[in-house]
Amino acid sequence: MRVPEPAPALPQAQAIPLNVVYEDNELIVIDKQAGLVVHPAAGNPDGTLVNALIAHCGGSLSGVGGVARPGIVHRLDKDTSGLIVAAKNDRAMASLAKQFAARTIERAYHAVAWGAPRAGDGIIEGDIGRNPFDRKRMAIVRNQGKPARTRYRMIERYGTGARAFASLIECRLETGRTHQIRVHLAHLGHPLIGDSVYGRARKPPRAKNEAEERAYSAAAEFPRQALHARLLGFQHPSTHQPMRFDSQWPDDFSNLIDALRGLG
């Protein structure tokens, strides 16, 4: 029997392309592409954002987050695109972690959901914890969950008639729980398009024209949860100046919106 080579104890540098939005001696802001895992874990030992950051930054990343996730202050799901900040030294890590804990970080996401909320805006509250029937999923739970609060605002509504086919929703996080937006919007009755964990594709009405056919196909075939971290704002750890970054939609997200706009 051939014994496999031992896996490295620490994440290794890997030359993975990164879209660097901002960088200085304290921190780096990345516009993460969908499909990129943030840090090594079971099932994803390498090929992650951490591996890419090690290659890009060398040994300057903060070790406060642990050897498997140096510099990582917060996370985005693998298939969520958009803005994420990493700390390049321990002072920056401590400052950013404190801001996240104090809920002074500004975070806005754009989500494309099935249907449209009756209210144009509102707040979704509900403790989030492991789903008692499926430990790989999160859920709103009564016991042993952590408080979670999401503000939402509908930006666009797609489809005519009493029930919209889909909508573009801005979500602002007041807490940062695992899968928070996905769980909260599903609880509201409007799961994300493309979310195979918390939602499912809905059978569209019969298309009456080419624009409707294009819109329905784009929604049904979207390959990931339609979620993009659009805005990130925080106070710089050293200068204490406010910093604010905005990320444009990636092509797949933009193409989905363009198709849905054909519904009126």
Side-chain angles (χ1 to χ4, degrees):
M1 182 178 69
R2 184 174 181 273
V3 178
E5 293 293 327
L10 300 175
Q12 304 297 301
Q14 291 179 297
I16 299 170
L18 291 176
N19 182 6
V20 179
V21 176
Y22 175 85
E23 182 177 12
D24 61 21
N25 292 331
E26 301 279 333
L27 55 88
I28 181 170
V29 178
I30 301 294
D31 196 342
K32 187 184 84 68
Q33 63 267 38
L36 182 63
V37 175
V38 170
H39 60 73
N44 295 284
D46 56 15
T48 70
L49 176 62
V50 161
N51 298 105
L53 287 173
I54 293 172
H56 181 87
C57 302
S60 66
L61 290 173
S62 169
V64 172
V67 295
R69 54 184 77 178
I72 299 302
V73 187
H74 65 124
R75 291 177 290 177
L76 296 177
D77 293 339
K78 173 185 176 181
D79 288 329
T80 298
S81 55
L83 295 167
I84 184 170
V85 60
K88 295 176 70 174
N89 58 48
D90 292 351
R91 178 176 61 182
M93 173 66 82
S95 173
L96 291 169
K98 184 177 180 180
Q99 292 178 59
F100 272 99
R103 303 177 184 176
T104 58
I105 299 283
E106 183 181 12
R107 287 178 288 173
Y109 293 71
H110 280 185
V112 186
W114 295 108
R118 288 185 179 182
D121 55 71
I123 297 173
I124 310 170
E125 293 185 280
D127 292 1
I128 291 179
R130 291 288 173 187
N131 188 315
F133 305 105
D134 184 350
R135 304 299 292 175
K136 294 182 179 180
R137 291 159 50 103
M138 308 302 288
I140 291 182
V141 296
R142 292 185 178 182
N143 299 310
Q144 299 182 334
K146 295 182 179 179
R149 183 179 171 98
T150 304
R151 290 185 177 271
Y152 71 90
R153 176 177 65 89
M154 187 167 60
I155 301 173
E156 294 180 355
R157 184 178 186 273
Y158 309 114
T160 57
R163 296 185 63 185
F165 177 69
S167 57
L168 174 64
I169 302 172
E170 180 187 83
C171 295
R172 289 181 176 259
L173 295 181
E174 295 190 6
T175 55
R177 309 304 177 202
T178 301
H179 300 173
Q180 179 172 319
I181 292 173
R182 298 165 66 188
V183 171
H184 271 175
L185 286 181
H187 178 74
L188 194 65
H190 303 288
L192 299 183
I193 284 177
D195 193 338
S196 61
V197 177
Y198 298 104
R200 59 185 177 83
R202 298 188 178 183
K203 186 178 180 179
R206 180 175 296 179
K208 298 176 182 177
N209 51 53
E210 187 175 329
E212 288 188 354
E213 178 63 34
R214 177 171 175 257
Y216 298 154
S217 295
E221 296 169 7
F222 198 70
R224 64 179 179 98
Q225 68 260 11
L227 186 62
H228 179 66
R230 179 66 185 256
L231 188 149
L232 179 65
F234 54 86
Q235 185 183 81
H236 192 278
S238 293
T239 67
H240 307 298
Q241 294 298 311
M243 306 192 75
R244 200 168 188 263
F245 302 95
D246 187 271
S247 167
Q248 298 302 307
W249 298 330
D251 288 344
D252 64 344
F253 198 99
S254 182
N255 291 339
L256 173 63
I257 295 294
D258 285 345
L260 290 172
R261 284 173 174 164
L263 296 175

